[in-house]
Amino acid sequence: MAPRGAAAAVAGLYFCPTIVIILIGFAYAQWGQTPLVQHLLSGLMPAATGLVIATSLRLLAGLERHWTTLFFAAATFVGSFLLGLPLLLVLGVLGPCAILMAYWRAKRRRQGDATP
């Protein structure tokens, strides 16, 4: 049951903001050159940035405090922002690595608990 619940939580957290961003992208592609849309989007940008930061902080608060968490967060920052790699590529590489690392750590923790 836990994987389904986790998938539902992630979908709920990201589905609506993703749809809004896609709709804004379509609106910008269609009407982005008009002054009204440029003023509207320039006013929405700080709010969108604030929402992304608030969501990131909420997600970080629930993460386990371990060096691997810091490593993957730093690697994502370096790959995306400092090296300028596409975020989808960075997450496509680091995401599975982080999942495997979490699985490996959980497996080791379970084996340590089972040892008398």
Side-chain angles (χ1 to χ4, degrees):
M1 286 299 219
R4 281 191 255 164
V10 169
L13 184 65
Y14 290 111
F15 183 71
C16 287
T18 301
I19 295 300
V20 169
I21 289 171
I22 289 171
L23 291 175
I24 289 172
F26 282 135
Y28 184 76
Q30 185 72 23
W31 302 293
Q33 302 307 319
T34 63
L36 176 65
V37 172
Q38 288 178 353
H39 288 293
L40 176 70
L41 291 179
S42 68
L44 288 174
M45 192 60 68
T49 303
L51 287 173
V52 168
I53 290 171
T55 302
S56 299
L57 291 175
R58 246 184 279 140
L59 288 172
L60 283 174
L63 290 177
E64 180 182 356
R65 304 294 189 257
H66 194 265
W67 69 268
T68 56
T69 305
L70 180 61
F71 170 78
F72 285 112
T76 302
F77 178 79
V78 168
S80 264
F81 298 106
L82 298 182
L83 298 178
L85 298 171
L87 183 59
L88 189 59
L89 173 67
V90 172
L91 293 179
V93 171
L94 292 178
C97 293
I99 291 168
L100 286 173
M101 177 65 76
Y103 174 77
W104 178 73
R105 288 189 61 234
K107 185 176 177 181
R108 283 190 60 203
R109 199 174 307 129
R110 279 192 307 269
Q111 288 174 348
D113 291 343
T115 306

